[in-house]
Amino acid sequence: MKLAPIHYVRPRSEAELLDALARYGADAAVLSGGQSLMPELALRTRAVKVVVDINHLPDAGGIALGLAADDPLQTASLGVHAEASAPRPGGWLHIGPLVRHGDLLNHHLVQRHAPGWAAAAAHIGNVAVRNRGTVCGSLAYADPGGELPLIAVASGARVCLRASSGVREVAAESFFAGAFCTVRRPDEYIACVRVPVAGPDSFHFVDEIARRPTAPALASIALSVDPIIGQAPSVRIAVGGVSDRPRLLPATGERISHALRGMTARQRGEEGVGVALDVDAIRATLRAELTPLVERDDAAYRLHLAATLTRAVAKLRASLDLSPAMPHPGPLT
Ligand SMILES: Cc1cc2nc3c(=O)[nH]c(=O)nc-3n(C[C@H](O)[C@H](O)[C@H](O)COP(=O)(O)OP(=O)(O)OC[C@H]3O[C@@H](n4cnc5c(N)ncnc54)[C@H](O)[C@@H]3O)c2cc1C
């Protein structure tokens, strides 16, 4: 089908973009990669009066390292209404609104500081989709099976929203409000995503099951582990595709974190620190957390996720170079 008649706006600056969004509000849609918006408009499953094409915004395609102190969001002349964000000794990786999925695959800063994002992008669609689709567009689209919403939640990323009235920043786990639904207001656009810089000994894992390699996931899991000296490692686990939005599994993360601390402490000969890698306890916690989240009446989703997590824990164990004498986590299903 052909598109319905649409008013097309091509802002040349962020000020023009914000003016257009303030003026047209819910009648307008931001066009970035167009990989989801254009089929929707062509099939007329979505109707908008105005398309605001941001592809000609200057300096919008960059990936850069920034410390919290030099974050442009914090120093913007617009009013800042950001939630308090924890200081990051390692800083943040800023991903601009025109960074494409494919940029994540090969960019040296992503490979070094946010390897989970490169791993997630590798699962997206085909080369054409990865060349056009944008990171921010994928977050705005909020497909429950989307890989980038998943890794955004697992990595503790923050979404920066700008409107002519001000700027705000939302943690990824609070940004997604349902299937294809976010807390973004119609007069806001996603100006960037900020990803916490991963530590040198961090571990990242993304896996999924999909109908086709080019389709969003039916069920997916992302695991992000950041060792913290003298403390139990930070373990964030997110699942996608099983619910209306990507979900964190904090209790399972906590359980694995304590187990890892116990394993590494025992290797150093310390006694009484942490707990053993109790596979039964991890499995029970995982099932208890997944059960209320899984919306489809299909136990295969739970089983797949549990099996995938088993592989993730085994890889994690190998990456930490734990003693082969340590008990293997074994199947979790
Ligand atoms: C064949 C095919 C296979 C695909 N496979 C996958 C897959 O495996 N995994 C996956 O996750 N996705 C997949 N996709 C979707 C693809 O990743 C899209 O690119 C992505 O979902 C949307 O990004 P986009 O830049 O194309 O956004 P667009 O299509 O331009 O926009 C999508 C929505 O987001 C809004 N929007 C876009 N950018 C912004 C912004 N900066 N601020 C505010 N709102 C914005 C738009 O108004 C629109 O509502 C596939 C698409 C196709 C066509």
Side-chain angles (χ1 to χ4, degrees), residues 67-80 162 167:
L67 299 174
D70 64 12
D71 180 352
L73 184 79
Q74 309 296 338
T75 54
S77 55
L78 299 163
V80 173
R162 279 179 191 260
V167 184

Side-chain angles (χ1 to χ4, degrees), residues 29-40 46 54 97 101 123-126 129 132-138 140-141 143 145-149 184 188-191 208 213-217:
V30 172
L31 170 67
S32 50
Q35 298 301 294
S36 300
L37 180 63
M38 295 314 291
E40 283 184 339
R46 181 165 177 198
I54 65 171
H101 306 326
H123 287 281
I124 298 177
N126 51 42
V129 171
R132 289 301 304 167
T134 63
V135 174
C136 293
S138 184
Y141 191 56
D143 186 330
E147 288 83 359
L148 298 184
R184 183 181 71 84
E188 292 175 321
Y189 90 111
I190 301 180
E208 68 176 36
T214 56

Side-chain angles (χ1 to χ4, degrees), residues 18-30 46 48 50 52 184-188:
L18 298 181
D19 279 352
L21 294 180
R23 184 166 167 199
Y24 298 113
D27 286 336
V30 172
R46 181 165 177 198
V48 293
V50 184
V52 182
R184 183 181 71 84
R185 297 193 314 260
D187 65 334
E188 292 175 321

Side-chain angles (χ1 to χ4, degrees), residues 133-259:
T134 63
V135 174
C136 293
S138 184
L139 300 188
Y141 191 56
D143 186 330
E147 288 83 359
L148 298 184
L150 174 78
I151 194 65
V153 170
S155 63
R158 303 178 72 81
V159 181
C160 307
L161 296 162
R162 279 179 191 260
S164 56
S165 56
V167 184
R168 66 185 174 126
E169 196 182 275
V170 182
E173 58 260 42
S174 307
F175 179 69
F176 302 104
F180 304 100
C181 182
T182 72
V183 299
R184 183 181 71 84
R185 297 193 314 260
D187 65 334
E188 292 175 321
Y189 90 111
I190 301 180
C192 82
V193 187
R194 293 203 303 147
V195 181
V197 163
D201 297 324
S202 61
F203 170 86
H204 307 271
F205 178 89
V206 180
D207 204 357
E208 68 176 36
I209 184 168
R211 283 200 189 88
R212 302 181 308 278
T214 56
L218 290 173
S220 56
I221 190 160
L223 174 64
S224 180
V225 180
D226 224 336
I228 303 171
I229 294 168
Q231 295 176 30
S234 153
V235 178
R236 289 175 69 95
I237 301 176
V239 287
V242 297
S243 176
D244 64 350
R245 69 198 88 166
R247 302 279 190 173
L248 269 183
L249 302 181
T252 310
E254 185 78 1
R255 178 72 72 175
I256 293 176
S257 171
H258 279 290

